[in-house]
């Protein structure tokens, strides 16, 4: 609310209306980031009837089977916007999701944070991404090897040269060029991506071993016994693996 310039003497969630909020805001003075914040706050107000019962609720537990149910998906995943009736978003009430697995024994001392991404329309996601990048020992940036291009938000978030411990971000960054199996000219695309990473100082210059091509889809094909899949064949034709072991 402060970021929007909304002048409330006091505010209690569940008691303010969307009309009251909009009356206090001059939308013409909002930049792109504040428009995203306004959208978030508007969604929170419009969804309050599903959010309020969840606030202060004790931890909920889901097993492998129930994680596939609609209840779990509806809790953590914002639905697509529709032109018709408004779809409420209970996910604003979710503070943290912790996933436990017995398939990560070799990495039992690692904590992996999967942040929403640089292009998320939710403003708070960008702040969470910056916070995790600041605290992380290593950052894996997922790029697209089939369409190599860095977005404005990616360049913006890496513009901070150092973290709070004065360590340059490019000392911590590794880049996984995913979807290499879909690339029609992988050598050219990897060169384009490397040039951009060097140009914007996202990777240390001439540190090409931190840029790794691969394919998550091909890795899943191999894990599922489908090594004859075209994605795997495309990687072999380019003389590379799926890249998963290399990035690990």
């Amino acid at each position: 609310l402060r970021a929007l310039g909304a002048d409330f003497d006091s505010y209690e969630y569940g008691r303010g209306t969307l009309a009251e909020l909009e009356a206090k805001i001059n939308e013409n003075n909002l930049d792109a980031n504040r428009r995203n914040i306004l959208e978030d706050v508007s969604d929170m107000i419009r969804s309050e009837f599903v959010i309020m019962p969840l606030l202060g609720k004790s931890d909920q537990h889901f097993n492998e089977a129930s994680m596939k149910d609609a209840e779990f998906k509806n809790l953590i995943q914002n639905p697509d916007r529709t032109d018709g009736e408004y779809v409420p978003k209970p996910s604003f009430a979710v503070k943290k999701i912790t996933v436990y697995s017995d398939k990560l024994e070799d990495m039992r001392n690692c904590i992996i944070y999967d942040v929403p991404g640089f292009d998320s329309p939710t403003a708070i996601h960008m702040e969470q991404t910056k916070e995790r990048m600041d605290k992380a020992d290593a950052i894996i940036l997922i790029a697209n090897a089939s369409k190599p291009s860095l977005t404005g938000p990616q360049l913006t978030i890496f513009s901070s040269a150092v973290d709070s411990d004065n360590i340059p971000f490019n000392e911590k960054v590794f880049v996984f060029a995913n979807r290499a199996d879909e690339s029609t000219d992988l050598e050219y695309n990897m060169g384009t991506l490397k040039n951009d990473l060097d140009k914007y100082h996202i990777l240390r210059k001439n540190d090409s071993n931190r840029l790794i091509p691969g394919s998550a889809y091909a890795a899943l094909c191999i894990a599922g016994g489908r090594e004859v899949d075209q994605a795997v064949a495309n990687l072999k034709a380019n003389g590379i693996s799926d890249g998963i072991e290399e990035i690990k």
Side-chain angles (χ1 to χ4, degrees):
L1 292 174
R2 282 195 297 269
L4 293 173
D7 184 21
F8 284 95
D9 292 332
S10 62
Y11 180 85
E12 184 178 346
Y13 182 64
R15 294 185 179 273
T17 67
L18 196 55
E20 289 173 329
L21 174 67
E22 291 172 343
K24 292 179 175 289
I25 293 172
N26 181 352
E27 290 198 46
N28 294 325
N29 291 336
L30 301 183
D31 57 19
N33 184 55
R34 289 186 177 87
R35 288 186 185 281
N36 285 341
I37 295 174
L38 176 59
E39 199 167 317
D40 289 351
V41 175
S42 299
D43 279 340
M44 291 175 197
I45 293 175
R46 297 170 77 181
S47 300
E48 66 183 33
F49 67 97
V50 294
I51 293 176
M52 290 290 283
L54 295 170
L55 299 182
K57 193 171 183 178
S58 58
D59 292 353
Q60 296 186 61
H61 298 273
F62 298 86
N63 57 29
E64 186 174 358
S66 61
M67 285 173 69
K68 299 175 183 177
D69 294 342
E71 180 188 0
F72 178 73
K73 291 182 179 180
N74 291 340
L75 186 64
I76 67 166
Q77 182 175 308
N78 280 349
D80 293 333
R81 300 185 181 281
T82 61
D83 294 329
E85 188 175 347
Y86 180 76
V87 182
K89 297 174 173 58
S91 60
F92 280 110
V94 179
K95 182 177 182 180
K96 181 173 65 174
I97 300 167
T98 304
V99 180
Y100 297 93
S101 172
D102 59 4
K103 297 177 173 62
L104 299 171
E105 289 187 356
D106 292 340
M107 302 175 70
R108 69 169 64 245
N109 293 322
C110 289
I111 299 175
I112 302 172
Y113 292 103
D114 180 15
V115 295
F118 300 101
D119 297 321
S120 171
T122 304
I124 196 172
H125 286 171
M126 182 64 82
E127 295 305 315
Q128 291 170 336
T129 298
K130 287 180 180 177
E131 179 185 343
R132 293 303 177 198
M133 284 176 56
D134 186 79
K135 294 179 178 178
D137 297 311
I139 301 165
I140 300 177
L141 173 63
I142 309 296
N144 189 338
S146 66
K147 297 177 181 177
S149 63
L150 300 176
T151 65
Q154 286 174 324
L155 300 180
T156 299
I157 205 166
F158 281 102
S159 63
S160 301
V162 296
D163 66 14
S164 56
D165 292 323
N166 214 36
I167 298 172
F169 273 136
N170 62 11
E171 292 281 344
K172 306 197 292 187
V173 172
F174 298 80
V175 180
F176 183 65
N178 192 30
R179 305 179 77 164
D181 58 296
E182 299 176 14
S183 177
T184 55
D185 192 341
L186 184 60
E187 185 177 356
Y188 174 82
N189 286 356
M190 290 299 291
T192 300
L193 189 55
K194 184 180 183 305
N195 287 340
D196 284 347
L197 292 168
D198 286 344
K199 178 180 178 181
Y200 296 106
H201 310 293
I202 293 175
L203 275 184
R204 295 185 303 191
K205 202 153 190 169
N206 301 319
D207 203 354
S208 57
N209 64 328
R210 289 191 177 212
L211 172 59
I212 299 165
S215 167
Y217 174 74
L220 291 173
C221 289
I222 295 169
R226 304 198 323 273
E227 296 198 34
V228 296
D229 193 279
Q230 188 61 48
V232 181
N234 291 348
L235 293 182
K236 288 180 179 178
N238 279 298
I240 63 172
S241 72
D242 57 44
I244 300 301
E245 285 304 314
E246 286 84 350
I247 196 68
K248 284 170 65 178

